[in-house]
Amino acid sequence: MKDVAARAGVGLKTVSRVVNGEPGVTPDTVRRVQESIDALGFRRNDSARVLRKGRTASIGLVLEDLADPFYGPMSRAVEEAARAHGALLIHGSSAEEPDREQELVLALCARRVDGLVIVPASDDHRYLEPEIAAGVATVFVDRPAGRIDADVVLSDSFSGARDGVAHLIAHGHRRIGFIGDRPRIHTATERLRGYRTAMAEAGLRVDDSWVALGSTEPERVRATACAMLDGAGQPPVTALFCGNNRVTVTVVRVLNGRVRPVALVGFDDFELADLLSPGVTVIAQDAAQLGRTASERLFRRLDGASDAPSHFLLPTRLIPRGSGELPPPADAL
Amino acid sequence: MKDVAARAGVGLKTVSRVVNGEPGVTPDTVRRVQESIDALGFRRNDSARVLRKGRTASIGLVLEDLADPFYGPMSRAVEEAARAHGALLIHGSSAEEPDREQELVLALCARRVDGLVIVPASDDHRYLEPEIAAGVATVFVDRPAGRIDADVVLSDSFSGARDGVAHLIAHGHRRIGFIGDRPRIHTATERLRGYRTAMAEAGLRVDDSWVALGSTEPERVRATACAMLDGAGQPPVTALFCGNNRVTVTVVRVLNGRVRPVALVGFDDFELADLLSPGVTVIAQDAAQLGRTASERLFRRLDGASDAPSHFLLPTRLIPRGSGELPPPADAL
DNA sequence: CTGAAAGCGCTTACAG
DNA sequence: CTGAAAGCGCTTACAG
């Protein structure tokens, strides 16, 4: 910038004015400065700008896994909001590890992002208190914040799961298995609670062997599903409820290799669910809406809103496609 | 930092040393400074650091659409590489619009990212020349750079498409349709070239109505596929080759609603392709490897490599699953 | 309409 | 082992 000013024979401030399109510069001066900028290949350094202005016009998005299709529409919604507000998006995965989440979030804070959208892997976010106090707008999405009071946007996991399990019960099932994500994850325990509530409301017993929380790795899900379907020494389950899309996809593969039909309802919709045979009945959540709601909240805070942290609960929707409407086999009743 | 130094009764430089874990500070001093940092809730401002050091330890990733599942594994691979090198990832979508690509890329350059990984939407990247000259390492992936010489990592679209179409021909098809992405997109025209080559090598004629490049929007793909399958006044095609995963998914939906079986091979693998009936035969490319190769190249440049721009061409793999092995109907020969 | 001075929060190069 | 000075490249607040 110094060089540009020297070459154009003007002051630093005038170059700054031209670069930022500020008014109050003679057209002729503008031309001279512009020529000088082009000749020298000048490119404004936003780091220096940030240092003076305070705001970086960037927000951080931390989620579990960039490649999980569930987060695709959510990321896009956050990106669109950022773009609409002239901000850039810094994106990172926690790989579901609390330490990695914290490391990433603090790195983003050191870069002075204006705000954060976090799908938490950790259950203790007290490490964020100084950052929030220092003005970093923070919104948690998909799962709640741990041990701090903050804005949160969730899908209604409990009601969704209860609806899904009630649907299976309405179609005649009495022995229903639940396969979900690790118990540390809030959505996993909420969906399990929905399952238990639906069963209790129907006056049905839940055998311990029908419930499995754990890693969503295909190997583990496959083994779990097979155990429930083969019913070690007792009557097997006639229906399965899956806690998220990763589990559902693996269970669909398992069922595909079996002759006896098993009813299935999965939490989360996924592409092509309608083209499988049977189509997979799901509890759909609106991932894009999750992202939109969170970003809206975030940018409202950046615009100065200082009301108490809010909690949004987005409804889910049951989409019947065939797999959830299969009756139990006649000999299983 | 000034406050921390004052409170601890030391100089600025000593605080800097403690914050960065540099050696040459008495344990006792370290303790005093650390206590001061904690008490004041000090958080280092990386913007200032960047301003002095020159490097930002961040890289930009620009692609078409954050929510497209094809880019998930690629993004993850780039993120892993960034993480391994202590860099953060700034992520943005071009929405396939050249202007938006340029705007985003230049914004990333103004933030002084150390490097860029770009899936280009534009076909003219001369706007990047000053940036590259100024030292921004740049690698293009999935599609080549336009009008500049730069590092490029591609899948072998031509050979992949030729293999796929030859596969259909080997299974008896003579009238094969090609539905691809917009002609502006390099992969679309390369795959079309593969199609034409395979047809020519088999001595087969290509009717103009069998080839359609254009938007991958479901409505347009659906209409195009129906026109080819109904053969306006002439014998219909007995097989379709789809130019990418978005097209394939829509065509699978179209075929699902028809009685007459039609053979299908799609470029790009996708989740659950094997569970459809019939399973969808695809030309798979390794999206994660695309990301890994590009990042490796990028970080090698950041480590000082200054050899001529290189061009990588990654092989594709035909995965037969049923849809590509369907013979033409007996009355169609 | 234009510019000189001070400062954002760090690090570099140097001296003690 | 420790620190004062200068500077990274901008913008702010002010004066002309």
Side-chain angles (χ1 to χ4, degrees):
Chain A
M1 193 151 128
K2 213 163 46 185
D3 298 338
V4 173
R7 188 179 211 276
V10 300
L12 272 180
K13 179 59 204 171
T14 301
V15 177
S16 175
R17 285 198 182 90
V18 172
V19 169
N20 295 312
E22 286 168 29
V25 186
T26 334
D28 187 57
T29 312
V30 172
R31 207 170 307 122
R32 265 203 345 278
V33 172
Q34 194 59 55
E35 185 275 331
S36 190
I37 286 174
D38 295 341
L40 268 41
F42 169 77
R43 317 171 302 140
R44 180 175 71 193
N45 185 333
D46 275 1
S47 300
R49 181 159 222 253
V50 156
L51 189 57
R52 280 297 330 214
K53 303 213 87 155
R55 279 216 179 168
T56 55
S58 58
I59 66 172
L61 172 59
V62 176
L63 40 72
E64 180 196 336
D65 176 6
L66 280 185
D68 185 331
F70 173 72
Y71 295 109
M74 201 186 90
S75 298
R76 179 160 57 181
V78 175
E79 189 205 4
E80 284 307 326
R83 194 174 125 79
H85 289 263
L88 250 28
L89 186 68
I90 310 185
H91 214 160
S93 308
S94 67
E96 209 64 271
E97 295 167 21
D99 289 350
R100 189 162 153 182
E101 172 205 301
Q102 177 169 347
E103 178 192 327
L104 186 54
V105 166
L106 290 179
L108 292 168
C109 289
R111 302 296 178 101
R112 292 294 187 272
V113 291
D114 297 331
L116 287 166
V117 175
I118 304 177
V119 176
S122 149
D123 56 5
D124 185 351
H125 297 95
R126 285 175 296 179
Y127 72 86
L128 261 170
E129 275 173 341
E131 309 296 338
I132 293 174
V136 181
T138 306
V139 179
F140 290 81
V141 61
D142 188 43
R143 307 170 188 171
R147 313 189 69 168
I148 64 170
D149 192 20
D151 287 312
V152 174
V153 181
L154 305 176
S155 281
D156 191 346
S157 285
F158 169 74
S159 302
R162 185 171 65 170
D163 293 352
V165 175
H167 186 75
L168 289 167
I169 294 170
H171 283 272
H173 296 275
R174 299 290 170 264
R175 297 192 304 275
I176 303 173
F178 179 95
I179 307 181
D181 211 331
R182 296 194 203 89
R184 208 184 50 205
I185 299 173
H186 182 261
T187 50
T189 55
E190 278 297 286
R191 291 168 195 175
L192 176 56
R193 197 164 66 82
Y195 162 86
R196 289 200 186 277
T197 301
M199 294 295 273
E201 283 170 350
L204 295 175
R205 184 184 66 90
V206 174
D207 190 274
D208 283 350
S209 70
W210 300 347
V211 172
L213 296 188
S215 147
T216 61
E217 248 197 291
E219 267 326 297
R220 176 246 154 196
V221 171
R222 180 176 292 275
T224 305
C226 288
M228 289 185 190
L229 293 171
D230 294 333
Q234 58 164 321
V237 301
T238 63
L240 286 171
F241 187 86
C242 298
N244 71 28
N245 75 81
R246 297 297 84 199
V247 174
T248 307
V249 165
T250 301
V251 167
V252 166
R253 289 185 192 284
V254 170
L255 296 184
N256 207 46
R258 295 186 159 243
V259 283
R260 175 189 284 265
V262 174
L264 170 68
V265 174
F267 211 107
D268 297 333
D269 200 5
F270 55 95
E271 186 164 46
L272 300 177
D274 58 323
L275 288 189
L276 298 173
S277 32
V280 178
T281 297
V282 299
I283 305 297
Q285 43 178 330
D286 190 340
Q289 187 59 42
L290 227 40
R292 272 193 299 272
T293 307
S295 333
E296 199 174 292
R297 191 70 207 157
L298 185 78
F299 284 103
R300 208 184 293 285
R301 287 242 177 259
L302 288 178
D303 287 345
S306 60
D307 40 322
S310 59
H311 292 236
F312 290 88
L313 203 59
L314 270 45
T316 59
R317 193 164 53 96
L318 189 149
I319 306 179
R321 294 201 179 108
S323 76
E325 294 74 47
L326 293 173
D331 63 350
L333 292 173
Chain B
M1 193 150 129
K2 214 164 47 185
D3 298 339
V4 173
R7 189 179 210 275
V10 300
L12 273 180
K13 179 58 203 172
T14 301
V15 177
S16 176
R17 285 199 182 92
V18 172
V19 169
N20 296 311
E22 287 167 29
V25 186
T26 333
D28 186 56
T29 312
V30 173
R31 207 171 305 121
R32 264 202 347 276
V33 172
Q34 195 58 54
E35 185 276 332
S36 190
I37 286 174
D38 294 342
L40 266 41
F42 169 78
R43 317 172 302 140
R44 180 176 70 192
N45 184 333
D46 274 0
S47 300
R49 180 159 222 254
V50 157
L51 189 57
R52 280 295 335 211
K53 303 214 84 154
R55 280 220 178 164
T56 56
S58 59
I59 67 172
L61 172 59
V62 176
L63 40 73
E64 180 195 337
D65 177 6
L66 280 184
D68 185 331
F70 173 70
Y71 295 110
M74 200 186 90
S75 298
R76 181 162 53 182
V78 175
E79 189 205 3
E80 284 306 327
R83 193 172 124 79
H85 290 263
L88 249 28
L89 186 67
I90 310 185
H91 213 160
S93 308
S94 67
E96 207 64 271
E97 295 168 21
D99 290 349
R100 190 162 153 184
E101 172 205 299
Q102 178 170 346
E103 179 192 326
L104 185 54
V105 166
L106 290 179
L108 292 168
C109 289
R111 302 298 178 99
R112 294 292 188 274
V113 291
D114 297 331
L116 286 166
V117 175
I118 304 178
V119 177
S122 150
D123 55 5
D124 186 351
H125 297 95
R126 284 175 298 177
Y127 72 86
L128 261 170
E129 275 173 341
E131 309 296 340
I132 293 174
V136 181
T138 305
V139 179
F140 290 81
V141 62
D142 189 42
R143 306 170 188 171
R147 313 187 69 168
I148 63 170
D149 192 20
D151 287 312
V152 174
V153 182
L154 305 176
S155 281
D156 191 347
S157 285
F158 168 73
S159 302
R162 185 171 66 170
D163 292 351
V165 174
H167 186 74
L168 288 167
I169 293 170
H171 283 272
H173 296 275
R174 299 291 171 263
R175 297 193 304 275
I176 303 173
F178 179 95
I179 307 181
D181 211 331
R182 297 193 203 89
R184 209 183 50 207
I185 298 172
H186 182 261
T187 51
T189 55
E190 278 297 287
R191 290 167 196 176
L192 175 55
R193 198 164 66 82
Y195 162 86
R196 288 198 187 278
T197 301
M199 293 296 273
E201 283 172 349
L204 295 176
R205 183 184 67 88
V206 174
D207 190 273
D208 282 349
S209 70
W210 299 349
V211 172
L213 295 189
S215 146
T216 61
E217 248 196 289
E219 267 327 296
R220 177 247 153 196
V221 170
R222 180 175 293 275
T224 304
C226 288
M228 289 184 189
L229 294 172
D230 294 334
Q234 59 164 320
V237 301
T238 62
L240 286 170
F241 186 86
C242 297
N244 71 30
N245 76 80
R246 298 295 85 200
V247 174
T248 307
V249 166
T250 300
V251 167
V252 166
R253 288 184 193 288
V254 170
L255 296 184
N256 207 45
R258 296 187 156 241
V259 282
R260 176 190 283 266
V262 174
L264 170 67
V265 174
F267 210 107
D268 297 331
D269 199 5
F270 55 96
E271 185 163 49
L272 299 178
D274 57 323
L275 289 189
L276 299 172
S277 31
V280 179
T281 298
V282 299
I283 305 297
Q285 44 178 329
D286 190 341
Q289 186 60 41
L290 227 39
R292 272 193 299 271
T293 307
S295 332
E296 197 174 294
R297 192 70 205 156
L298 186 78
F299 284 102
R300 208 182 293 284
R301 287 241 177 261
L302 288 177
D303 288 344
S306 61
D307 41 322
S310 58
H311 292 238
F312 291 88
L313 203 59
L314 269 47
T316 59
R317 193 163 53 96
L318 189 150
I319 307 179
R321 292 199 180 110
S323 76
E325 294 73 47
L326 292 174
D331 63 350
L333 292 173

